[in-house]
């Protein structure tokens, strides 16, 4: 083999006019027998050198073609530059498949390229020197490296798209946000249109739904016909200049394709689709894996899902992806592409599987979160009164604010409990923490307080029994509570405190006063005594009971917040007339305005009571001995009171009902009974005795001599009831005043 070759340095500059013809096995492309070569060096070259030189010429021809193609606008000569993808993630490449890294050899016996004519010995370039034999392989790897770089770039684009799409899907906390995240991530970056079907109703957790499986069209989305509107919508939905799911060269960065072929697929799709057991749609959903629309399994499944109206794009332009949650299939998604966009590739099935999996898990999470929020809301709602009562001589208003929207349960509560004698018990409490456990403990304490209030126990006794109940619930069940009883007839209020912030009394003249009552120990400490204080409750004054979340935060302590609350009440009262009280509902709203943007660290319960009282002229009160003549005496006293109040039209009904109730009291009482009439917006009659047994309404038989008195009361009175006292009971009824 010669050490030098005359044409060795010009291997890559030779442009043969013809390509080699496939030769016989072991011969390659060389000179014909009997033909004298033009170069002596070429004539002395062994056959294997001829084969090597032919391969070099073939590689040079490939590199020249690549250079001419690359120089058309995107690259320099001799370097393969990948063409950009215009079809989004997974779009098929339009370049022909070619692997020049494995050139034909002498052993192959043929060159795998079309020929344009026979190659002669004169066309064969000289062999390259041995020292430069490594250069052509390095150059010949350029096209192969270009394809590998293209595949690597497209794979990176897919990974970036899947990452951005899953992040967008995972943002949603409720069902609509999760489905919307899938639509916004898929259109237009991955598909031109999408249909999302979910089960109706959606199963929650481990529930096993009964009945047939029905899929409901939850949401559909597609690229608008206006490309500018498409880009603007995608940018606005993501809050950036480009959508999350856009990939390099994808439709989000170009003029979006027309959707004339897929618009019907979104507009005319059936809203409901019943999944028939053993049908094609059930088989696809059971298989879990996404399939192309032209797959045998999907040909019949798509019409069953979408109905007969829409036309699904043919070929690999539609993907049916089941949505499988943690335990079962919960829906399906259909991805579609228009005719001006490259169809889906097999790798796009993996992307569809990722989108479907993350969406299904997000839907499961949203459903479970919705169920937890519903349970929390229902628990908190049932623990608090649905509506406040309207007791005689008192107007009430309340507010409740949770610590945060994501934690809507807590241990704060308020209550208003009507008591005998037109009195009302006002309660506000705060269990430590704001969780489901705190709410459960709060519910038990509130129920206990209502039961104790119906026994008409003094406020300090109610707190003592609540303390015992908290100790029975657990050693760490701590709570604060304030219990007050308002008597509108006496214009007095009795308050007992168990470690709670003191109430604030806003007088009619605008002066706000923090009531000085013994603080006491919190409920649950045990072994402590509680003290009650009796105070004046003038007409027109407003009492505010609240929890510490209103006055305490990270920025201020409790007493600073209480002083701020007092100043706020004083400033609000100045906005009204000096002789009038501030409206109750707006007053509660103004009180909540003392909270700054970052001041609400705890739940807030607020109960406001406006003391109107009952004037002494509207009260008639008597003590009657339990005798046979007492019923007649009670009728005469009631008739006189009604005449003084100009309510003679009620005389017949009142005399009849008073006679029946007083007769029952006289029959069993041993001590004097009480009769009281109260005139407000209604006429209320109260009869008290020392017998603790409560009367019950029953249907008297024809042979019974009694048992019809309460039946008459129930028919004639607007309302009636009986309340047990510590010294007996009170039976009352009300009649409307015209």
């Amino acid at each position: 083999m010669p050490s030098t070759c005359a044409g060795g340095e010009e291997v890559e500059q030779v442009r043969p006019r013809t390509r080699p013809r496939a030769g016989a096995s072991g011969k390659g492309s060389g000179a014909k027998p009997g033909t004298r070569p033009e170069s002596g060096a070429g004539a002395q070259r062994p056959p294997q050198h001829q084969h090597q030189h032919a391969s070099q010429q073939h590689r040079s021809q490939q590199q020249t073609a690549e250079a001419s193609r690359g120089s058309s606008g995107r690259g320099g000569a001799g370097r393969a530059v990948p063409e950009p993808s215009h079809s989004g993630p997974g779009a098929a490449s339009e370049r022909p498949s070619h692997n020049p890294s494995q050139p034909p050899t002498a052993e192959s016996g043929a060159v795998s390229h079309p020929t344009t004519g026979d190659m002669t010995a004169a066309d064969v370039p000289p062999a390259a020197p041995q020292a430069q034999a490594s250069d052509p392989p390095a150059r010949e790897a350029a096209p192969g490296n270009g394809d590998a770089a293209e595949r690597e770039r497209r794979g990176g684009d897919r990974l970036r798209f899947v990452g951005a799409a899953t992040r967008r899907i995972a943002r949603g906390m409720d069902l609509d946000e999760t489905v919307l995240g899938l639509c916004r991530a898929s259109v237009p970056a991955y598909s031109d249109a999408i249909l999302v079907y979910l089960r109706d109703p959606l199963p929650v957790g481990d529930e096993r739904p009964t009945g047939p499986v029905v899929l409901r069209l939850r949401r559909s989305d597609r690229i608008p016909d206006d490309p500018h509107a498409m880009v603007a919508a995608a940018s606005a939905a993501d809050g950036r200049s480009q959508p999350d799911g856009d990939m390099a060269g994808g439709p989000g960065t170009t003029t979006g394709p027309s959707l004339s072929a897929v618009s019907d697929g979104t507009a005319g799709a059936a809203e409901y689709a019943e999944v028939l057991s053993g049908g094609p749609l059930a088989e696809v959903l059971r298989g879990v894996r996404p399939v192309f629309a032209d797959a045998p399994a999907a040909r019949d499944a798509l019409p069953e899902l979408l109905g007969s109206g829409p036309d699904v794009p043919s070929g690999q332009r539609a993907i049916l992806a089941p949505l499988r949650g943690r335990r079962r299939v919960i829906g399906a998604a259909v991805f579609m592409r228009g005719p001006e966009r490259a169809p889906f590739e097999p790798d796009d099935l993996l992307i569809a599987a990722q989108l479907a999996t993350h969406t299904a898990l997000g839907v499961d999470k949203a459903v479970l979160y919705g169920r937890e929020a519903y349970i929390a809301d229902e628990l908190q709602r049932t623990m608090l009164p649905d509506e406040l009562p309207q007791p005689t001589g008192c107007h009430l208003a309340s507010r409740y604010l949770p610590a945060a929207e994501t934690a809507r349960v807590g241990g704060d509560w308020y209550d208003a409990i009507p008591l005998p004698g037109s009195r009302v018990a006002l309660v506000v409490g705060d269990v430590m923490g704001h969780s489901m456990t705190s709410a459960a403990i709060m519910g038990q304490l509130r129920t206990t307080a209502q039961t104790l209030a119906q026994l008409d126990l003094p406020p300090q006794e109610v707190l003592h029994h609540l303390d015992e109940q908290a100790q029975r619930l657990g050693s760490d069940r701590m709570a604060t509570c304030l219990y007050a009883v308002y008597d509108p007839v006496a214009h007095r209020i009795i308050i007992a405190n168990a470690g709670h912030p003191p109430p604030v009394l806003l007088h009619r003249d605008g002066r706000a006063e923090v009531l000085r009552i013994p603080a006491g120990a919190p409920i649950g400490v045990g072994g402590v005594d509680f003290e009650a204080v009796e105070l004046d409750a003038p007409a027109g004054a407003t009492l505010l009971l609240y929890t510490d979340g209103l006055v305490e935060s990270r920025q201020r302590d409790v007493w600073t917040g209480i002083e701020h609350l007092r100043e706020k009440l004083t400033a609000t009262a100045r906005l009204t007339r000096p002789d009038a009280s501030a409206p109750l509902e707006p007053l509660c709203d103004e009180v909540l305005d003392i909270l700054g943007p970052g001041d609400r660290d705890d739940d807030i319960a607020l109960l406001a009571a406006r003391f109107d009282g009952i004037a002494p002229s509207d009260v008639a009160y008597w003590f009657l001995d339990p005798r046979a003549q007492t019923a007649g005496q009670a009728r005469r006293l009631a008739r006189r009171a009604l005449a003084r109040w100009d309510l003679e039209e009620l005389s017949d009904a009142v005399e009849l009902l008073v006679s029946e109730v007083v007769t029952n009291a006289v029959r069993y009482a041993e001590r004097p009974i009480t009769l009281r009439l109260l005139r407000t917006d209604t006429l209320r009659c109260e009869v008290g005795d020392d017998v603790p047994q409560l009367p019950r309404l029953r249907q008297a038989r024809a042979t019974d001599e009694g048992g019809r008195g309460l039946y008459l009361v129930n028919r004639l009175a607007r309302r009636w009831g009986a309340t047990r006292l510590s010294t007996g009971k009170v039976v009352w009824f009300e009649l409307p005043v015209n």
Side-chain angles (χ1 to χ4, degrees):
M1 175 178 179
S3 60
T4 61
C5 181
E9 297 295 331
E10 300 179 357
V11 173
E12 295 191 24
Q13 300 179 5
V14 176
R15 293 190 178 182
R17 293 183 300 272
T18 59
R19 296 185 180 180
R21 185 180 58 184
S25 175
K27 301 264 182 211
S29 288
K32 296 181 181 180
T35 304
R36 183 180 179 87
E38 296 181 3
S39 173
Q44 296 177 3
R45 186 167 52 222
Q48 58 271 20
H49 290 181
Q50 297 176 6
H51 299 316
Q52 180 180 3
H53 192 70
S55 300
Q56 291 175 353
Q57 181 184 11
H58 171 63
R59 289 192 297 271
S60 176
Q61 183 181 7
Q62 286 181 333
Q63 294 170 357
T64 303
E66 292 289 341
S68 63
R69 184 166 58 247
S71 64
S72 61
R74 293 183 295 110
R79 182 171 179 263
V81 179
E83 297 178 3
S85 171
H86 295 282
S87 57
S93 176
E94 300 296 332
R95 296 174 49 198
S97 176
H98 182 58
N99 188 8
S101 60
Q102 297 179 357
T105 60
E107 288 76 13
S108 65
V111 179
S112 59
H113 290 280
T115 61
T116 58
D118 295 338
M119 175 175 280
T120 62
D123 297 326
V124 179
Q130 183 67 28
Q132 299 179 2
S134 61
D135 290 343
R139 294 187 181 98
E140 76 177 6
N145 289 340
D147 290 345
E150 173 71 9
R151 289 192 298 270
E152 182 178 356
R153 185 189 69 83
R154 296 170 65 82
D157 289 342
R158 288 189 176 96
L159 290 177
R160 285 190 293 272
F161 167 74
V162 172
T166 53
R167 286 193 301 271
R168 171 171 277 184
I169 295 171
R171 290 178 196 160
M173 289 299 294
D174 59 13
L175 185 60
D176 292 333
E177 289 180 356
T178 302
V179 177
L180 178 62
L182 171 63
C183 295
R184 289 293 182 262
S186 302
V187 179
Y190 178 70
S191 62
D192 296 338
I194 184 174
L195 297 167
V196 182
Y197 281 83
L198 296 179
R199 294 185 65 165
D200 188 37
L202 276 168
V204 180
D206 296 331
E207 290 183 357
R208 295 187 176 275
T210 60
V213 177
V214 178
L215 300 182
R216 176 193 171 199
L217 180 60
R218 190 75 187 193
R219 190 177 185 89
S220 63
D221 200 0
R222 69 183 186 93
I223 300 178
D225 295 333
D226 184 6
H228 301 287
M230 173 196 69
V231 177
S235 302
D238 187 52
R240 295 193 296 271
S241 59
Q242 292 296 340
D244 275 349
D246 285 350
M247 296 171 43
T253 59
T254 62
T255 63
S258 173
L259 287 184
S260 58
V262 296
S263 60
D264 292 341
T266 58
E271 184 177 359
Y272 290 93
E274 182 177 351
V275 182
L276 302 178
S277 178
L281 181 58
E283 294 298 327
V284 174
L285 297 180
R286 190 179 297 112
V288 177
R289 299 178 181 274
V291 294
F292 288 118
D294 59 350
R299 290 173 185 168
D300 298 330
L302 281 172
E304 182 181 347
L305 176 65
L306 306 180
S308 58
D311 295 329
V312 179
S314 59
Q316 293 185 355
R317 297 186 179 275
I319 294 178
L320 174 59
L323 303 179
R324 179 176 177 82
R326 294 183 303 166
R327 291 177 176 84
R328 61 181 66 85
V329 174
I330 60 175
V334 181
F335 304 92
M336 291 178 284
R337 285 186 178 177
E340 297 182 7
R341 189 171 183 174
F344 292 107
E345 291 184 350
D347 288 344
D348 290 328
L349 293 178
L350 301 178
I351 296 179
Q354 288 289 329
L355 297 179
T357 299
H358 284 276
T359 301
L361 294 178
V363 169
D364 266 352
K365 176 189 67 176
V367 172
L368 290 175
Y369 174 77
R371 173 58 62 89
E372 292 295 330
Y374 172 78
I375 293 174
D377 289 342
E378 285 296 307
L379 177 63
Q380 189 70 42
R381 185 185 62 81
T382 54
M383 294 302 179
L384 298 176
D386 293 334
E387 59 181 10
L388 293 174
Q390 297 299 327
T392 303
C394 182
H395 290 82
L396 303 175
S398 64
R399 295 291 187 273
Y400 177 81
L401 295 178
E405 289 298 326
T406 56
R408 288 173 285 190
V409 293
D412 294 15
W413 91 91
Y414 61 88
D415 208 347
I417 308 169
L419 298 178
S422 300
R423 297 172 300 157
V424 59
L426 307 175
V427 190
V428 64
D430 184 4
V431 179
M432 293 179 57
H434 37 77
S435 62
M436 298 284 285
T437 303
S438 301
I441 297 173
M442 176 265 288
Q444 297 181 66
L445 294 180
R446 178 173 178 254
T447 302
T448 303
Q450 287 181 334
T451 304
L452 296 171
Q454 295 300 326
L455 297 177
D456 198 28
L457 298 178
Q460 65 271 23
E461 290 295 326
V462 173
L463 295 183
H464 176 72
H465 288 290
L466 284 176
D467 180 60
E468 293 180 344
Q469 176 67 14
Q471 294 180 64
R472 285 190 290 267
L473 295 177
S475 58
D476 58 344
R477 309 310 188 193
M478 305 287 292
T480 62
C481 183
L482 194 146
Y483 189 92
V485 176
Y486 170 65
D487 189 347
V489 177
H491 295 271
R492 303 285 289 179
I493 185 170
I494 304 176
I495 306 176
N497 192 6
H500 204 78
V504 178
L505 184 64
L506 179 63
H507 294 268
R508 184 191 291 268
D509 58 3
R511 179 173 53 92
E513 175 188 4
V514 179
L515 299 182
R516 302 297 179 179
I517 57 177
I523 291 174
V525 174
V528 296
D529 192 17
F530 300 98
E531 183 179 354
V533 177
E534 186 173 358
L535 303 171
D536 288 333
T542 303
L543 183 69
L544 272 80
L545 310 179
Y546 53 89
T547 57
D548 57 356
L550 180 65
V551 295
E552 185 181 19
S553 66
R554 295 188 181 98
Q555 289 77 22
R556 61 188 180 190
D557 56 46
V558 175
W559 288 106
T560 301
I562 293 176
E563 182 63 22
H564 191 190
L565 173 62
R566 189 188 66 80
E567 295 174 355
K568 182 68 174 180
L569 290 174
T570 302
T572 304
R574 292 173 181 171
L575 302 177
T576 59
R577 301 195 317 268
D579 58 342
S581 300
L584 202 56
E585 294 291 343
L587 180 64
C588 293
D589 296 332
E590 291 292 332
V591 167
L592 295 181
D593 285 343
I594 69 174
L595 299 173
D599 291 349
R600 199 172 75 179
D601 302 327
D602 197 0
D603 304 333
I604 298 174
L606 174 65
L607 179 62
R610 169 70 45 77
F611 299 147
D612 295 331
I614 301 177
S617 59
D618 293 330
V619 180
Y621 193 86
W622 304 278
F623 286 93
L624 304 176
D625 293 329
R627 298 178 304 171
Q629 298 83 5
T630 301
Q633 182 183 2
R635 289 192 297 269
R636 291 191 298 270
L637 295 174
R639 188 185 311 112
R640 294 174 186 173
L642 294 177
R644 187 171 65 250
W645 293 334
D646 294 330
L647 297 177
E648 289 87 349
E649 67 274 8
L650 299 178
S651 296
D652 294 339
V654 170
E655 290 184 26
L656 176 60
L657 298 183
V658 166
S659 177
E660 293 294 336
V661 176
V662 170
T663 299
N664 289 336
V666 169
R667 183 176 181 181
Y668 302 101
E670 297 179 358
R671 297 178 181 178
I673 64 173
T674 60
L675 173 62
R676 186 168 71 169
L677 297 179
L678 304 174
R679 185 190 66 168
T680 56
D681 54 346
T682 62
L683 180 66
R684 182 182 177 97
C685 177
E686 299 174 351
V687 177
D689 58 58
D690 60 345
V691 180
Q693 286 79 14
L694 299 181
R696 300 300 180 191
L697 181 65
R698 64 185 182 89
Q699 188 70 32
R701 293 172 297 188
T703 57
D704 292 342
E705 296 182 358
R708 297 174 179 84
L710 288 181
Y711 180 77
L712 294 176
V713 174
N714 184 63
R715 292 297 301 269
L716 297 180
R718 188 177 68 175
R719 290 195 310 159
W720 76 278
T723 305
R724 184 179 284 109
L725 303 176
S726 57
T727 58
K729 68 175 182 295
V730 170
V731 180
W732 57 270
F733 63 85
E734 292 180 352
L735 293 173
V737 176
N738 297 330

